[in-house]
């Protein structure tokens, strides 16, 4: 029979990952509210595409996430991964963050893909 630990070690046990925001243990069956993505769902570029599709930021401007080509994603892949790491805590296959961080990530990616036009400067007139 042995000790309890010896009996459990032989079984398939999943290690709980602690959320960096609320400190709740996360397992596939019981995720916390800050869990946004797992690497089982895809890599960081897949997560960024998901953020672009779910965030209302792009749609509110009359565009669609599908306008970004696959070549653009590949060419800017490292930059996109850096943006994911800036906005989210990603470790041990889990990505944690607030819901608003998805919109911030989508905004940064969209502005890199489709920069805002430069506004004309206003002329300053000093009173004489």
């Amino acid at each position: 029979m042995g000790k309890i630990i010896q009996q459990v070690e032989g079984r398939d046990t999943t290690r709980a990952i602690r959320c960096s925001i609320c400190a709740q243990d996360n397992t596939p069956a019981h995720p916390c509210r800050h869990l946004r993505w797992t690497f089982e769902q895809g890599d960081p570029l897949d997560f960024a595409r998901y953020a672009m599709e779910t965030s209302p930021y792009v749609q509110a401007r009359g565009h669609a996430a599908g306008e970004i080509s696959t070549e653009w994603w590949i060419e800017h892949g490292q930059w996109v991964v850096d943006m994911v790491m800036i906005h989210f805590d990603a470790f041990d296959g889990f990505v944690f963050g607030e819901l608003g961080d998805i919109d911030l990530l989508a905004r940064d990616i969209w502005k890199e893909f489709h920069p805002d036009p430069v506004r004309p400067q206003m002329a300053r007139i000093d009173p004489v």
Side-chain angles (χ1 to χ4, degrees), residues 45-73 102 105-107 109-110 113-114:
L45 289 178
D46 292 330
F47 173 66
R49 286 185 189 110
Y50 162 79
M52 293 296 292
E53 291 170 1
T54 58
S55 175
Y57 182 84
V58 176
Q59 294 174 359
R61 281 148 185 76
H63 297 284
E67 293 177 29
I68 302 176
S69 67
T70 304
E71 292 80 23
W72 188 92
W73 285 108
I102 291 178
L105 176 63
R107 181 199 63 185
I109 292 172
W110 186 256
F113 172 71
H114 189 273

Side-chain angles (χ1 to χ4, degrees), residues 19-92:
C19 175
S20 59
I21 299 170
C22 68
Q24 177 181 334
D25 287 337
N26 284 277
T27 61
H30 301 295
C32 77
R33 65 186 184 102
H34 300 108
L35 182 63
R36 299 291 165 229
W37 192 259
T38 64
F39 289 165
E40 293 171 354
Q41 294 172 282
D43 61 14
L45 289 178
D46 292 330
F47 173 66
R49 286 185 189 110
Y50 162 79
M52 293 296 292
E53 291 170 1
T54 58
S55 175
Y57 182 84
V58 176
Q59 294 174 359
R61 281 148 185 76
H63 297 284
E67 293 177 29
I68 302 176
S69 67
T70 304
E71 292 80 23
W72 188 92
W73 285 108
I74 293 169
E75 183 179 321
H76 292 86
Q78 184 59 46
W79 180 85
V80 171
V81 170
D82 291 343
M83 288 294 105
V84 169
M85 297 304 291
I86 286 172
H87 290 290
F88 296 92
D89 291 327
F91 55 91
D92 289 338

Side-chain angles (χ1 to χ4, degrees), residues 117-122:
V118 178
R119 292 179 163 183
Q121 294 184 354
M122 293 177 55

